[in-house]
Amino acid sequence: MTQVMDKAKKNLITNGYLDIEVDPTLDLVAEIQKLKKEKNAIILAHYYQESEIQDVADYIGDSLGLSQKAESTDADMIVFAGVHFMAETAKMLNPNKKVVLPDLKAGCSLADSCPAPIFAKFKEKYPDHVVVSYINCTAELKTLTDICCTSSNAEVVIDSIPKDKGIIFAPDKNLGAYLIKKTGRDMVLWDGACMVHEIFSNEKITKLKVRYPDAKFIAHPECEEHILAMADFIGSTSQMLKFTQQDEACTFIVGTEAGIIHQMEIASPDKTFIPAPPENNCACNECPFMRLNTLEKLYLSMKYELPEILLENWVIEKGRKCIDTMLEISAKAGFKA
Ligand code: 13P
Ligand code: SF4
């Protein structure tokens, strides 16, 4: 076993996860529950995770809820069932705790679209602007950011900035364009986007609306403008979930990553949820990064406490400020995990 472990550790960076065979007869759910107790660990899962991962999580939420939960937890180890920038955020909020991510390659196309050194040059052109970054960005980008935001609190964050101040919004141009419309603020936008939310087909959604005339189309603000223009409701994942619970409609076409449908079905078992179809006949409405995490990898990451998120101290100190500011604004506005 030591040899297998040594090899797996050596290959961790290349593989992104511990490549160790898991006994197929093992009751993974029971083992994960045991490890949680033994290690005083908490599993935080995003709505876009596989259903079986959501089912073992201690908290399932959107990016804001997950950050709030990470900030308040007294667990010794945070197991992040989500993507890299989310686990980094949890680490910045808990520099002295162990944060593990089942697969280090669980990145984000949106975060990748805004490399910090290039953004630093871009920012130099607007020296007096306040930088607001969507939380879907790297820890390095957070060091260049004044206030972070998520899709839940973005409007409140923008409204907190004095009207005479210019704003740079990064990295999501779709969320940025939506916020310009909602807040009336003129913002300089970074040209980034999420590969999952840019794939929805206008034509296929229109056909679904004709086929299900009573259905409501709900969409995440990371979607393109022409898709948002068709929506009956626009909101973050948690706001979309809440809307499906409270609205009288019985059928919803869901314009975001399809993983959220699991919680929608649990919350409203009598309602029907149809994933908004992508342009191609692919499963492109599933985030390929989120889906790198599996129950096996989650189990291994808890057992061996690897792969661990490690950040340089200066990144934690400098990058954390914009997250703290966001959490303060959110608490004042009444956002709770
Ligand atoms: P929220 O969790 O804020 O709804 O954002 C969705 C997302 O794309 C996370 O990667
Ligand atoms: Fe990034 Fe899009 Fe995946 Fe969210 S759904 S993690 S924004 S690539």
Side-chain angles (χ1 to χ4, degrees), residues 46 48 62-64 85-86 134 136 150-152 197 220 222 236-238 290:
H46 191 268
Y48 296 165
D62 68 0
S63 304
L64 177 62
F85 74 81
M86 295 177 174
Y134 192 31
N136 300 34
T150 75
S151 50
S152 282
H197 289 89
H220 194 279
E222 284 176 28
S236 70
T237 45
S238 57
M290 287 275 180

Side-chain angles (χ1 to χ4, degrees), residues 38-319:
E38 264 171 44
K39 303 195 177 210
N40 187 26
I42 185 169
I43 302 178
L44 304 180
H46 191 268
Y47 290 123
Y48 296 165
Q49 291 291 281
E50 298 281 356
S51 308
E52 56 181 12
I53 293 184
Q54 295 188 31
D55 292 345
V56 294
D58 298 291
Y59 176 80
I60 313 154
D62 68 0
S63 304
L64 177 62
L66 288 163
S67 311
Q68 289 173 317
K69 217 53 193 178
E71 190 199 27
S72 64
T73 185
D74 55 11
D76 294 319
M77 178 164 79
I78 298 173
V79 184
F80 218 109
V83 289
H84 200 269
F85 74 81
M86 295 177 174
E88 277 184 339
T89 304
K91 181 66 185 176
M92 285 193 267
L93 291 167
N94 297 279
N96 299 321
K97 284 188 181 158
K98 188 167 272 189
V99 178
V100 295
L101 180 68
D103 191 325
L104 281 182
K105 289 197 176 166
C108 168
S109 65
L110 191 46
D112 290 348
S113 70
C114 194
I118 303 175
F119 182 78
K121 287 261 169 257
F122 175 78
K123 182 181 155 164
E124 277 171 16
K125 289 194 272 179
Y126 308 96
D128 299 326
H129 282 45
V130 175
V131 176
V132 178
S133 293
Y134 192 31
I135 199 161
N136 300 34
C137 65
T138 61
E140 282 76 17
L141 200 86
K142 289 184 175 81
T143 67
L144 301 168
T145 297
D146 297 303
I147 319 177
C148 233
C149 76
T150 75
S151 50
S152 282
N153 61 17
E155 257 184 88
V156 178
V157 166
I158 300 294
D159 286 343
S160 75
I161 299 166
K163 296 268 184 287
D164 59 340
K165 273 281 186 197
I167 300 172
I168 300 176
F169 187 82
D172 189 0
K173 63 176 177 193
N174 293 324
L175 175 61
Y178 172 71
L179 289 168
I180 289 175
K181 256 194 182 164
K182 288 289 279 187
T183 63
R185 297 294 287 269
D186 185 22
M187 302 195 289
V188 178
L189 303 183
W190 179 264
D191 187 12
C194 157
M195 61 195 282
V196 178
H197 289 89
E198 284 222 310
I199 203 78
F200 295 118
S201 161
N202 196 311
E203 193 185 323
K204 289 183 189 170
I205 294 167
T206 307
K207 280 185 184 157
L208 276 176
K209 283 183 119 184
V210 173
R211 192 156 151 211
Y212 301 97
D214 296 330
K216 287 209 170 139
F217 173 51
I218 56 175
H220 194 279
E222 284 176 28
C223 293
E224 293 168 292
E225 198 178 353
H226 67 102
I227 298 291
L228 294 180
M230 307 165 80
D232 298 295
F233 176 78
I234 299 167
S236 70
T237 45
S238 57
Q239 289 163 347
M240 289 168 91
L241 173 61
K242 197 166 166 197
F243 181 78
T244 60
Q245 287 171 271
Q246 295 177 346
D247 193 75
E248 76 285 350
C250 293
T251 306
F252 297 89
I253 304 163
V254 181
T256 191
E257 214 272 4
I260 182 126
I261 291 180
H262 183 53
Q263 291 307 315
M264 289 176 173
E265 287 176 341
I266 290 173
S268 309
D270 299 328
K271 297 187 178 182
T272 303
F273 301 96
I274 306 166
E279 290 285 358
N280 308 313
N281 290 326
C282 57
C284 311
N285 54 5
E286 288 182 2
C287 172
F289 303 105
M290 287 275 180
R291 305 293 176 134
L292 282 177
N293 294 328
T294 61
L295 204 60
E296 281 84 3
K297 289 180 191 168
L298 183 82
Y299 160 71
L300 289 169
S301 69
M302 292 181 79
K303 182 164 177 177
Y304 298 106
E305 305 186 9
L306 286 171
E308 186 182 357
I309 299 290
L310 297 169
L311 291 169
E312 290 182 59
N313 283 343
W314 77 269
V315 173
I316 295 183
E317 276 159 31
K318 206 163 171 213

